[in-house]
């Protein structure tokens, strides 16, 4: 118990950082499900694509010598904007080519299409990375890699001090801005009202002069842009990326969306933060709790056990509402 309390400040710092990433990616899942009622399993790969686009833009700027005279904050903004715009347009393209023709098909067909897009993006990014660098694992440049010390021991002597990178603050701050901005957009703007109307009843919304196709395209643009931007935050925080980072992270973000209530944006935010903190807590303390029987490498099991439990006992999620199947 004493060891668990000692590491708690560091667990919270790392968990909230990772949870913020999960939360923003989970929003992309829950937005698409709220309107189309299917899971876009290619969303994790859109996140991965954003990480590569942002890293490629940063490496290009560095090789051209632009980083030396450019403020780090402006460089960060540029790669973030580039990745968000690129993945937003990619999301629109995926919806137009892979999902819209199957909109009236059985849900299983759309799901298979999403899985196919997922593998296609993985292989395309791996192919391009192999050609450009000779290796599909890419190490980027950290714009804010300085370490900061949090004097948690001053709060209570039983705590160890926590350490975080300057970039950690940026990750959490940007994630919060994205989540709050999206919440405002969905609940306080005309387009947000249209999105909620289409999510509630697509046919009725179309009869009320709402362009359903534009609303769905906008939903994919926003969800994909958020995913791509989060990929940049992830690459800056953890340094190394590969074409397969989107799979497991996407599954955990999906778990977060289900936990909060699939289709509920605020629930997805909570679910992401909860899963992130729980994962870091498991990684740091699972060996202590189980007496060495299980190590930190089993942290992923905890997240998916939660998914199974939620699907069994509360399939609508913590903040979702049980609805009857439309006929």
């Amino acid at each position: 118990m004493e060891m668990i309390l000692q590491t708690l400040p560091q667990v919270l710092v790392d968990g909230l950082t990772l949870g913020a990433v999960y939360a923003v990616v989970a929003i992309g899942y829950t937005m698409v499900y709220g309107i189309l009622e299917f899971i876009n399993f290619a969303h994790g790969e859109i996140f991965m694509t954003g990480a590569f686009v942002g890293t490629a833009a940063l490496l290009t700027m560095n090789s051209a010598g632009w980083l030396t005279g450019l403020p780090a904050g402006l460089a960060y903004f540029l790669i973030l904007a580039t990745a968000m715009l690129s993945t937003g347009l990619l999301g629109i393209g995926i919806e137009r080519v892979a999902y819209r023709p199957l909109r009236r098909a059985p849900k299983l067909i759309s799901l298979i299409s999403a899985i196919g897009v997922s593998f296609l993006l993985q292989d395309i990014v791996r192919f391009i990375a192999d050609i450009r660098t000779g290796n599909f694992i890419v190490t980027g440049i950290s714009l804010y890699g300085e370490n900061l010390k949090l004097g948690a021991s001053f709060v209570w002597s039983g705590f160890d001090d926590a350490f975080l990178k300057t970039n950690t603050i940026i990750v959490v701050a940007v994630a919060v801005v994205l989540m709050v901005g999206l919440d405002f957009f969905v609940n306080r703007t005309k387009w947000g009202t249209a999105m909620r109307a289409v999510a509630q009843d697509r046919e009725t919304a179309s009869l009320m002069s709402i362009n359903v196709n534009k609303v769905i395209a906008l939903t994919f643009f926003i969800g994909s842009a958020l995913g791509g931007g989060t990929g940049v935050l992830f690459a800056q925080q953890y340094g190394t990326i590969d074409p397969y980072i989107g799979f497991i992270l996407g599954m955990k973000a999906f778990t977060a969306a289900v936990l909060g209530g699939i289709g509920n944006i605020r629930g997805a935010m909570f679910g992401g933060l909860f899963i992130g903190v729980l994962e870091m807590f498991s990684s740091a303390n699972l060996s202590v709790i189980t007496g060495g029987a299980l190590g930190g490498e089993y942290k992923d099991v905890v997240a998916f056990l939660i998914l199974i439990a939620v699907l069994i006992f509360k399939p609508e999620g913590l903040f979702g509402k049980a609805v009857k199947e439309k006929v």
Side-chain angles (χ1 to χ4, degrees):
M1 185 64 179
E2 183 180 350
M3 185 177 296
I4 293 175
L5 289 176
Q6 283 178 346
T7 60
L8 186 60
Q10 189 67 56
V11 166
L12 290 176
V13 168
D14 294 340
L16 289 174
T17 305
L18 185 61
V21 172
Y22 288 159
V24 181
V25 178
I27 288 173
Y29 281 106
T30 209
M31 285 180 66
V32 172
Y33 183 86
I35 289 182
L36 295 180
E37 294 186 348
F38 94 100
I39 304 300
N40 178 20
F41 276 117
H43 191 63
E45 275 56 50
I46 291 175
F47 158 86
M48 174 272 297
T49 303
F52 270 89
V53 169
T55 302
L58 187 59
L59 292 174
T60 300
M61 291 165 60
N62 184 56
S63 63
W66 296 348
L67 284 185
T68 55
L70 203 64
L74 179 58
Y76 209 118
F77 173 79
L78 288 175
I79 63 172
L80 195 63
T82 300
M84 293 182 72
L85 179 61
S86 300
T87 53
L89 294 175
L90 175 64
I92 292 177
I94 291 173
E95 187 276 328
R96 185 66 183 87
V97 174
Y99 300 150
R100 189 179 298 183
L102 303 174
R103 196 174 291 171
R104 299 186 181 278
K107 293 288 191 297
L108 180 61
I109 304 300
S110 299
L111 177 63
I112 294 172
S113 179
I115 294 173
V117 171
S118 172
F119 284 117
L120 181 64
L121 287 176
Q122 282 183 9
D123 287 338
I124 289 175
V125 171
R126 173 168 181 155
F127 178 73
I128 294 173
D130 267 336
I131 289 179
R132 296 296 300 272
T133 66
N135 192 349
F136 65 87
I137 300 175
V138 177
T139 301
I141 301 170
S142 180
L143 292 171
Y144 289 98
E146 301 85 0
N147 282 320
L148 302 176
K149 180 180 178 180
L150 293 180
S153 57
F154 287 108
V155 178
W156 183 54
S157 60
F159 287 150
D160 287 340
D161 290 333
F163 295 88
L164 72 160
K165 293 194 295 186
T166 307
N167 188 71
T168 302
I169 301 173
I170 297 174
V171 170
V172 175
V174 172
V176 169
V177 169
L178 292 177
M179 289 187 284
V180 172
L182 178 65
D183 189 74
F184 177 85
F185 177 83
V186 171
N187 292 295
R188 301 294 179 87
T189 67
K190 180 180 177 180
W191 278 104
T193 302
M195 289 170 64
R196 286 185 283 120
V198 172
Q200 189 166 3
D201 193 318
R202 201 184 310 168
E203 286 73 22
T204 304
S206 65
L207 295 175
M208 298 177 69
S209 301
I210 294 176
N211 190 321
V212 173
N213 285 333
K214 282 188 178 180
V215 170
I216 292 175
L218 177 64
T219 301
F220 270 87
F221 178 85
I222 294 174
S224 300
L226 291 176
T230 312
V232 173
L233 300 180
F234 180 92
Q236 282 293 298
Q237 179 69 16
Y238 300 106
T240 303
I241 56 175
D242 66 73
Y244 306 108
I245 58 172
F247 178 73
I248 291 296
L249 189 140
M251 289 296 99
K252 291 177 182 175
F254 170 66
T255 302
V258 173
L259 175 63
I262 191 75
N264 187 308
I265 290 177
R266 295 179 182 179
M269 297 177 191
F270 170 83
L273 294 172
F274 180 82
I275 293 294
V277 172
L278 183 65
E279 181 179 333
M280 287 297 102
F281 181 85
S282 302
S283 177
N285 300 306
L286 204 55
S287 178
V288 177
I289 295 173
T290 61
L294 299 176
E297 65 272 13
Y298 287 94
K299 66 183 186 299
D300 294 342
V301 176
V302 177
F304 293 116
L305 283 176
I306 289 177
L307 175 61
I308 295 170
V310 169
L311 291 175
I312 292 174
F313 297 107
K314 205 174 189 303
E316 69 273 17
L318 297 179
F319 301 98
K321 296 180 180 178
V323 294
K324 293 182 179 180
E325 186 73 20
K326 295 179 182 179
V327 294

